[in-house]
Amino acid sequence: MIKKLENVKSWIFDLDETLYRPDSKIANQVSDKITEFLMLEYGWEKDIAVDIKKKYYYEYGSTLQGLIKEGKLEDAKKFETFCHDVDISRLEQNKALDKALKKLQGKKYILTTSQSVYAEKVLDALGILNHFELIWGLEETDFIAKPDVHPYKKLITEAELDIDKTAMFEDSYVNITKAKEIGLKTVWIDNGATLESNTKYVREVDSSLIDVRTDDIVETINDIADFQNKF
């Protein structure tokens, strides 16, 4: 499986629940903040806010994208700032991940559906901020979220990446299959965090769209780096 990545020179990483485990509960905090925003901004009862949050997530890839497409939100930055004001104190420096990233040859990038400012805080808390050339959040991708292909294509174009020599690390099955669609190599971090969205979009995993499937990102990065060092 690792051999499929032998020509990769550039590595794009998703952030949330890819570079840290879902048991940190940060995604739960963001989800609760989204519900709170909808209640405060539109006066919806909690059950209505939760239903709309889920509806937009499934139909558009994110609640924010749904609000924009449905003409309900003009200030996307306001939404993002509110919803990513969360406690990340449970995150600890991941020395093993830091060491693995240091070994991995090639330039590294972050492509997230969160704010880039929030992403920097998370990466700093993990102790791995220094490894990344660019950190792209929703502001940099015109507030268009994955799984739309626009964020992938814009980063590839502006960073002048060779698509045939670029791989994506991502925990969302739906998002990783979109990366494969446009020609990227794919590393799916199958950590159980996105099973609900997976079952919403697909009945079963299409293994032809996944170059490497793993539940341990550190081990996989080390395996890739060890393979690189053989040549």
Side-chain angles (χ1 to χ4, degrees):
M1 298 289 281
I2 297 297
K3 186 172 172 54
K4 294 181 180 180
L5 307 177
E6 63 180 330
N7 295 320
V8 173
K9 304 298 182 186
S10 303
W11 307 92
I12 302 174
F13 291 81
D14 173 55
L15 177 71
D16 293 309
E17 302 191 340
T18 293
L19 289 172
Y20 62 84
R21 297 289 299 176
D23 53 17
S24 66
K25 303 298 183 183
I26 292 176
N28 300 65
Q29 290 185 63
V30 174
S31 180
D32 289 344
K33 292 286 285 188
I34 293 172
T35 300
E36 185 182 354
F37 180 90
L38 297 179
M39 293 170 66
L40 292 172
E41 189 75 7
Y42 305 106
W44 294 333
E45 296 296 325
K46 185 174 182 178
D47 58 341
I48 294 173
V50 170
D51 286 346
I52 291 175
K53 175 181 68 177
K54 290 181 178 179
K55 178 177 184 289
Y56 287 173
Y57 173 71
Y58 290 132
E59 289 185 8
Y60 298 103
S62 72
T63 304
L64 173 60
Q65 196 69 16
L67 291 171
I68 293 172
K69 290 285 183 68
E70 295 287 337
K72 288 183 168 61
L73 183 69
E74 293 184 358
D75 190 349
K77 189 172 183 179
K78 176 183 177 182
F79 173 94
E80 281 294 295
T81 300
F82 183 91
C83 296
H84 286 100
D85 181 17
V86 297
D87 179 14
I88 62 170
S89 61
R90 292 184 64 179
L91 289 178
E92 298 179 351
Q93 292 200 356
N94 190 333
K95 293 182 180 179
L97 180 56
D98 175 46
K99 186 177 179 180
L101 288 169
K102 194 175 295 183
K103 285 170 56 180
L104 184 66
Q105 298 174 29
K107 293 185 176 181
K108 306 166 189 74
Y109 306 85
I110 294 291
L111 181 61
T112 176
T113 54
S114 304
Q115 273 190 316
S116 53
V117 172
Y118 158 83
E120 288 180 10
K121 290 179 181 178
V122 170
L123 294 168
D124 188 47
L126 292 170
I128 58 174
L129 178 60
N130 61 303
H131 293 291
F132 299 97
E133 301 283 325
L134 290 174
I135 299 169
W136 271 33
L138 278 173
E139 303 97 321
E140 289 76 22
T141 58
D142 310 312
F143 293 99
I144 299 174
K146 299 175 286 185
D148 192 291
V149 297
H150 174 77
Y152 308 88
K153 289 184 174 180
K154 187 172 182 184
L155 175 58
I156 289 164
T157 299
E158 297 207 10
E160 299 182 336
L161 304 182
D162 182 340
I163 200 165
D164 295 323
K165 296 181 180 179
T166 303
M168 177 90 196
F169 285 78
E170 169 73 65
D171 70 300
S172 165
Y173 174 76
V174 176
N175 290 352
I176 204 71
T177 59
K178 289 294 182 179
K180 190 64 172 179
E181 253 182 45
I182 64 170
L184 295 172
K185 300 291 191 303
T186 54
V187 183
W188 180 30
I189 312 302
D190 182 14
N191 58 23
T194 53
L195 292 180
E196 185 179 6
S197 63
N198 290 349
T199 55
K200 187 73 177 182
Y201 284 97
V202 296
R203 292 184 181 276
E204 60 184 26
V205 170
D206 183 349
S207 58
S208 69
L209 301 175
I210 310 297
D211 292 311
V212 176
R213 180 176 181 174
T214 179
D215 62 359
D216 189 329
I217 189 171
V218 173
E219 181 180 53
T220 300
I221 292 174
N222 276 321
D223 287 346
I224 296 168
D226 289 343
F227 182 83
Q228 289 175 327
N229 290 329
K230 290 180 180 179
F231 301 96

